[in-house]
Amino acid sequence: MVTDPIQQQSTGVAAARPPVARQHRPALLGDLHALARALAAPVGRPRWRQRLITRLDPVGHGFAEHVHVTEGPTGLYAELLHHAPRLDRGVRLLIREHAAIVTEIAALQHVADLPAVPDEELCGRTGQLLRALHRHRQRGADLLWEAYQADLGGET
């Protein structure tokens, strides 16, 4: 006899996440897109460096807010580990990535302010930062999915 799969009420992170976590995600994503658009502009264009620096600052602030919301005893990661302690290794990896990305942002902001650094180097380092942020975002999404997806089917 085949039965329908059991339906479970959704108790995902989005429902339990504090309002600040829901609010900062779209803002940070928008800042990342703005930085990518600034990076995509032709390097030789007037004020290219200034536009890039202007778009980099909000990414730094937004990522700092992301770290604040996710880490700590009341952060999103604590909630995640409460629900799925088996994901401790993945959470520790994300926290290590936070430290590396914060350092990379600070270094990029410093380099961007040095006129002697070629625009091409600034372009390369900004692209590297955007790739690191994309990988981090994907790992976080994968971890959340792994924590809250449920295979209750029982079908063969």
Side-chain angles (χ1 to χ4, degrees):
M1 174 176 170
V2 176
T3 61
D4 291 330
I6 298 170
Q7 297 296 319
Q8 181 180 11
Q9 183 178 7
S10 175
T11 59
V13 170
R17 189 179 303 152
V20 69
R22 283 188 297 248
Q23 292 168 358
H24 99 276
R25 265 186 71 224
L28 179 56
L29 187 57
D31 293 337
L32 290 172
H33 288 298
L35 180 60
R37 283 190 306 273
L39 182 62
V43 175
R45 213 170 147 183
R47 297 182 32 90
W48 177 85
R49 181 181 292 254
Q50 187 55 44
R51 285 186 181 96
L52 194 72
I53 292 169
T54 301
R55 301 303 187 271
L56 182 59
D57 287 342
V59 169
H61 294 299
F63 194 75
E65 178 66 21
H66 164 76
V67 170
H68 175 74
V69 168
T70 56
E71 291 186 16
T74 60
L76 181 62
Y77 294 161
E79 177 189 333
L80 181 69
L81 289 175
H82 176 75
H83 181 77
R86 71 187 184 282
L87 300 176
D88 180 68
R89 182 174 176 260
V91 167
R92 282 186 283 124
L93 172 65
L94 291 173
I95 290 171
R96 281 193 307 272
E97 285 180 358
H98 284 172
I101 290 170
V102 165
T103 300
E104 195 170 346
I105 290 170
L108 183 56
Q109 287 172 322
H110 174 72
V111 165
D113 287 332
L114 300 174
V117 174
D119 287 346
E120 291 75 17
E121 180 181 339
L122 185 57
C123 185
R125 291 178 74 157
T126 303
Q128 182 179 345
L129 172 65
L130 286 169
R131 287 186 295 278
L133 286 163
H134 175 75
R135 283 190 306 269
H136 177 73
R137 186 170 174 259
Q138 187 61 54
R139 280 191 191 105
D142 290 346
L143 204 64
L144 286 172
W145 183 86
E146 188 176 340
Y148 289 98
Q149 63 86 25
D151 183 13
L152 302 175
E155 299 175 345
T156 54

